[in-house]
Amino acid sequence: MTNENLIQYIYGIADNSLILGQRISELCGHGPTLETDIAMTNMALDLLGQTRSYYQYVAELSPKDITEDDVAFLRTEREYKNVLLVEQPNTDFAYVIVRQYFFDVFHFMLLKELENSKNVNFQAIAKKSLKEVSYHKRFSGDWLKRLGDGTEESKQKAQQAIDDLWVYTDELFHMTDNDKAVSKAGYGVDTTNLKDSYYAAITSLLKEATLDIPDTKYFQKGGKNGIHTEHMGFILSDMQYMQRTYPGMKW
Amino acid sequence: MSKKNWPLWEVFVRSKNGLEHRHFGSLHAPDPDMALKNARDVYTRRSEGVSIWVVESKNIKASNPDDNGEMFEPAADKAYRHPTFYELPDDIEHM
Amino acid sequence: MENMKEKEQMKSLEDIFEAKIARDEKIEPKDWMPEKYRKTHIRQISQHAHSEIVGMLPEGNWITRAPSLRRKVALLAKVQDEAGHGLYLYSACETLGISREELYDQLHSGKAKYSSIFNYPTLTWADIGAIGWLVDGAAIINQVPLCSTSFGPYARAMVRVCKEESFHQRQGYEIMMTLCNGTQEQKDMAQDALNRWWWPSLMMLGPTDDESTHTEQSMKWKLKRKTNDELRQQFIDQTVPQADILGLKVPDENLKYNNETGHYNFGDIDWEEFWQVVKGHGMCNKERISARKNAWDNGEWVRDAAIAYADKQADKEVKEAV
């Protein structure tokens, strides 16, 4: 296993935090109440903090003289390895919560395993992030229950979000060749082992929230190989705007 | 549409073990669980606390300032409840 | 006769009230207070709260475009603080017997005012620096004296706000500093931002003393400690040397240090522009209000859902108890 394997593996984890953090950041100032706005922003800050820890590690591993910001802002779209789920838009609060919950449950399980990685950096980041993500999962799960078992309107909106976002859940458990190599070396996580308990957890909460599991059989994939939905280009043009317009400057 | 607004809650935070919970402020939340979460996100962003209480504001019974005379003034002339009321020689120690 | 007696009683209540404030005692929500005191406080505290949450918008504009991760988290935390400060202030206002929803209605309908400066657009990254440095700088000058204002809940909210806000201005100045130590393009960007934000920042400290209607009463109630003109002078005196350190030029041909007074003389402020923006004709007045209104309106089904859920849970608990 090479450093490049490890770097690619980190992208597969950290880019999720970056892109989801970026997505939630868009909502700052536009939440349904001030309290919810503040809570969502806390999640964005957690995710961006995690991103920084991972990218600083990438900068260390890289043979080139690069910084966390080069990693965050100066890759091409194909070089981002986040799952499609996290780049989906903030259509309404139901999408925001469902997207968050679908990701949080996975994220928590992943970090739990990553805590036992042979890599001490992964161990440390996972240990710190677990506390944050454990709270995210509780927050998004609690909200999903409220939307599902709230009013007719909220139930319908939550169900719509679930139906639309469900197709992006399976990709969470795809193992790229690189994932397999890093996992085999004892550094990475074999996410295929997490799949059953993931769907069990989600099913149980959706049931409690009086929501239905979609019977979709076809799932979307691509993000882990750098093939994204059309949303990604717009996220990046926003995010990379300064770095691309004024190359090589310090901010 | 229910048009019912989220009720107001009072937030009490213990800054560290050994100290009492202190009133930090208030916020709106639909239920106790959310009130607790919101309190965490609103009032402990800078590590201000290790424990939080929330109580719906309407459940607090407060004294009326108009009654302050009968409520609090009768205590004012009971100087004998305070150590300085008792006269002791200056050179006595440990008392 | 009865009427006379009532008036006399009222007068003596007011005298006791004013004497209490003069002795630096705080007024708490359930204490007796003149109706005018209540109304003035609702107006001022809610304006302050509205300014915090409308103020999130021009800066929020740049969160997704922040040029580095470090800047992104700092800006996000700052804008989040503003939501928190709005919340503290709305809460203080609510102790006076008005709900947050009513206050929002006043904001959304255009009845309530907020600081006009947030109706100016944020056009470049340097604007985020300039806002932190100048707008927060001016805000601090306004806010610090309010920590000892007469109304307890307002004073307590301000103590918290001031404590948390201490990083905001530094954040802004650091952005300006980095730009001014950077390339010519970055310096130009910083100068351009100062050019556009300088005068609105001076206006932010309020109309001149002879135009200001509330000053005398506000002084008595400790809603104000210094007049608008004094605050403005203080702001200019402390900010000009900071601009010098950055190597930026304050856009005022008449700005000159006066050795006799120990203060800077400065040029005329375009009050016509100020009043136009106050009246709703700033570049972003409509956008700001509609952004706030959309957030609230689009959130209605979410708030309703949470209440409906809470009611159902409460019903369940009752049934289980039976």
Side-chain angles (χ1 to χ4, degrees):
Chain A
M1 197 196 53
T2 64
N3 267 10
E4 185 53 27
N5 285 133
L6 213 47
I7 289 174
Q8 288 301 322
Y9 186 74
I10 297 172
Y11 290 162
I13 298 175
D15 291 351
N16 288 335
S17 295
L18 173 68
I19 300 301
L20 187 55
Q22 176 80 1
R23 267 293 188 225
I24 309 175
S25 302
E26 293 171 15
L27 295 168
C28 184
H30 307 277
T33 65
L34 282 177
E35 286 81 355
T36 321
D37 208 313
I38 293 170
M40 297 292 302
T41 305
N42 268 349
M43 292 203 283
L45 285 167
D46 288 342
L47 290 166
L48 292 169
Q50 294 163 14
T51 308
R52 294 185 70 187
S53 308
Y54 287 120
Y55 288 173
Q56 283 160 10
Y57 184 35
V58 168
E60 250 173 63
L61 290 169
S62 172
K64 287 177 268 176
D65 183 22
I66 55 168
T67 66
E68 56 173 22
D69 290 326
D70 296 325
V71 180
F73 298 103
L74 293 178
R75 281 179 287 156
T76 62
E77 182 174 326
R78 289 295 298 272
E79 291 169 308
Y80 287 85
K81 300 296 159 59
N82 56 281
V83 291
L84 301 178
L85 175 67
V86 295
E87 65 200 47
Q88 298 311 303
N90 302 320
T91 307
D92 63 22
F93 191 72
Y95 278 75
V96 171
I97 289 300
V98 171
R99 181 185 64 202
Q100 191 69 39
Y101 181 68
F102 282 177
F103 181 70
D104 290 342
V105 174
F106 165 77
H107 198 189
F108 183 78
M109 290 175 170
L110 176 80
L111 292 170
K112 265 277 188 224
E113 295 296 318
L114 202 62
E115 217 181 3
N116 305 318
S117 164
K118 278 188 193 163
N119 181 302
V120 286
N121 284 289
F122 286 174
Q123 284 172 21
I125 299 173
K127 192 164 188 271
K128 181 179 165 286
S129 309
L130 261 173
K131 290 179 191 148
E132 297 167 345
V133 174
S134 171
Y135 186 81
H136 300 177
K137 184 167 67 115
R138 185 126 57 110
F139 180 87
S140 59
D142 281 0
W143 259 112
L144 191 48
K145 283 189 244 170
R146 281 156 180 77
L147 298 185
D149 198 13
T151 61
E152 267 313 304
E153 186 185 8
S154 71
K155 184 204 233 6
Q156 181 236 317
K157 284 192 149 89
Q159 191 63 55
Q160 185 67 53
I162 287 165
D163 294 350
D164 287 350
L165 294 172
W166 189 258
V167 295
Y168 300 109
T169 52
D170 189 65
E171 191 195 9
L172 295 164
F173 308 98
H174 280 205
M175 293 287 283
T176 62
D177 289 343
N178 190 69
D179 288 345
K180 284 176 193 157
V182 177
S183 145
K184 210 169 154 208
Y187 280 41
V189 178
D190 185 355
T191 51
T192 47
N193 295 331
L194 306 176
K195 198 167 168 175
D196 288 346
S197 41
Y198 175 82
Y199 282 109
I202 295 226
T203 306
S204 137
L205 188 116
L206 289 190
K207 212 174 144 195
E208 198 186 336
T210 68
L211 292 161
D212 298 328
I213 307 284
D215 53 7
T216 322
K217 293 285 177 286
Y218 189 82
F219 291 93
Q220 297 295 334
K221 59 174 188 292
K224 295 196 82 167
N225 288 311
I227 300 170
H228 294 277
T229 58
E230 287 181 350
H231 304 297
M232 189 67 176
F234 294 98
I235 296 178
L236 293 185
S237 42
D238 240 17
M239 196 174 77
Q240 298 186 338
Y241 164 66
M242 290 297 292
Q243 292 276 350
R244 296 290 186 196
T245 314
Y246 306 97
M249 299 182 199
K250 291 218 171 355
W251 301 96
Chain B
M1 228 23 40
S2 62
K3 279 281 175 199
K4 213 170 126 190
N5 294 317
W6 287 6
L8 195 64
W9 300 73
E10 300 303 321
V11 178
F12 300 83
V13 177
R14 185 202 296 286
S15 315
K16 60 176 187 184
N17 275 9
L19 297 179
E20 69 279 64
H21 285 78
R22 202 163 60 80
H23 185 233
F24 259 46
S26 42
L27 50 75
H28 291 263
D31 58 59
D33 280 345
M34 279 289 167
L36 204 52
K37 283 200 180 60
N38 291 344
R40 176 258 195 194
D41 285 313
V42 172
Y43 287 104
T44 64
R45 297 201 300 286
R46 289 175 168 81
S47 315
E48 291 95 333
V50 296
S51 165
I52 303 176
W53 290 345
V54 289
V55 57
E56 201 176 331
S57 312
K58 69 171 189 201
N59 292 330
I60 291 180
K61 175 73 184 166
S63 65
N64 185 340
D66 291 347
D67 301 335
N68 276 11
E70 61 179 71
M71 287 283 278
F72 307 115
E73 274 171 37
D77 68 347
K78 275 57 169 195
Y80 44 81
R81 288 198 173 107
H82 302 279
T84 46
F85 177 75
Y86 301 94
E87 285 174 24
L88 294 181
D90 286 345
D91 50 359
I92 193 154
E93 287 179 359
H94 308 301
M95 199 175 278
Chain C
M1 269 304 263
E2 269 305 294
N3 211 353
M4 278 277 280
K5 212 169 159 190
E6 256 175 44
K7 266 189 188 155
E8 256 168 50
Q9 271 176 347
M10 191 63 101
K11 176 90 180 62
S12 85
L13 272 173
E14 268 177 43
D15 287 346
I16 294 168
F17 178 84
E18 299 291 352
K20 211 167 145 186
I21 293 180
R23 285 196 305 272
D24 256 340
E25 280 179 39
K26 299 286 183 211
I27 308 300
E28 293 297 343
K30 293 179 78 136
D31 292 345
W32 183 88
M33 61 183 77
E35 201 42 36
K36 197 172 167 212
Y37 182 90
R38 182 186 303 276
K39 283 203 172 121
T40 304
H41 276 76
I42 289 176
R43 194 184 59 231
Q44 171 154 344
I45 301 170
S46 65
Q47 270 181 23
H48 198 160
H50 296 328
S51 300
E52 294 282 355
I53 61 161
V54 175
M56 295 170 74
L57 299 168
E59 289 179 283
N61 246 343
W62 280 87
I63 293 171
T64 60
R65 290 179 289 173
S68 72
L69 290 175
R70 180 173 179 272
R71 293 288 180 218
K72 194 189 286 287
V73 291
L75 181 58
L76 199 46
K78 177 180 191 265
V79 178
Q80 183 195 40
D81 271 352
E82 281 152 15
H85 299 168
L87 193 156
Y88 307 154
L89 289 161
Y90 282 125
S91 301
C93 207
E94 282 178 274
T95 64
L96 290 165
I98 186 164
S99 70
R100 195 194 290 178
E101 290 75 19
E102 287 172 85
L103 296 169
Y104 274 174
D105 277 345
Q106 293 177 358
L107 174 68
H108 298 158
S109 66
K111 204 180 135 206
K113 297 269 178 287
Y114 56 88
S115 187
S116 272
I117 197 144
F118 302 119
N119 293 318
Y120 289 83
T122 46
L123 303 177
T124 70
W125 172 250
D127 289 17
I128 299 306
I131 289 181
W133 171 35
L134 302 172
V135 178
D136 285 275
I140 291 167
I141 284 183
N142 253 329
Q143 287 173 351
V144 168
L146 288 172
C147 294
S148 54
T149 192
S150 65
F151 186 55
Y154 193 22
R156 289 192 288 275
M158 289 317 298
V159 168
R160 190 173 290 277
V161 168
C162 287
K163 205 158 84 187
E164 295 187 351
E165 230 163 53
S166 53
F167 96 80
H168 293 185
Q169 197 190 10
R170 294 172 69 109
Q171 179 254 180
Y173 196 76
E174 195 194 79
I175 290 174
M176 295 305 273
M177 198 73 171
T178 311
L179 294 174
C180 292
N181 288 330
T183 62
Q184 190 57 46
E185 233 175 334
Q186 287 174 302
K187 280 178 207 159
D188 293 346
M189 196 189 278
Q191 181 65 56
D192 171 61
L194 173 58
N195 292 349
R196 282 181 291 109
W197 289 96
W198 174 256
W199 292 104
S201 301
L202 298 190
M203 295 174 196
M204 196 183 151
L205 293 152
T208 52
D209 293 349
D210 44 334
E211 293 264 344
S212 178
T213 41
H214 310 297
T215 301
E216 200 188 330
Q217 181 78 82
S218 299
M219 292 271 189
K220 217 164 67 182
W221 288 341
K222 298 177 183 170
L223 278 169
K224 256 187 178 309
R225 287 295 166 93
K226 289 180 182 168
T227 69
N228 292 350
D229 287 336
E230 286 168 341
L231 293 171
R232 197 166 6 253
Q233 188 67 56
Q234 184 189 340
F235 175 73
I236 293 169
D237 290 346
Q238 74 181 41
T239 310
V240 174
Q242 294 168 355
D244 292 342
I245 292 174
L246 292 171
L248 295 177
K249 190 181 173 313
V250 173
D252 179 356
E253 292 307 322
N254 297 311
L255 187 80
K256 198 169 182 289
Y257 188 72
N258 184 330
N259 277 316
E260 275 170 42
T261 60
H263 296 293
Y264 282 90
N265 296 343
F266 55 97
D268 292 334
I269 293 171
D270 182 358
W271 291 109
E272 172 61 21
E273 174 181 318
F274 174 78
W275 291 114
Q276 285 306 322
V277 180
V278 169
K279 282 177 196 147
H281 307 306
M283 186 176 277
C284 303
N285 291 57
K286 287 200 183 98
E287 270 167 278
R288 301 293 185 241
I289 291 300
S290 73
R292 285 310 317 162
K293 198 170 169 328
N294 283 343
W296 186 245
D297 292 348
N298 295 336
E300 182 171 313
W301 70 268
V302 178
R303 298 189 300 274
D304 286 347
I307 285 288
Y309 179 85
D311 288 348
K312 285 185 203 175
Q313 294 303 109
D315 283 351
K316 261 186 217 165
E317 267 174 43
V318 171
K319 275 184 197 141
E320 273 162 25
V322 173

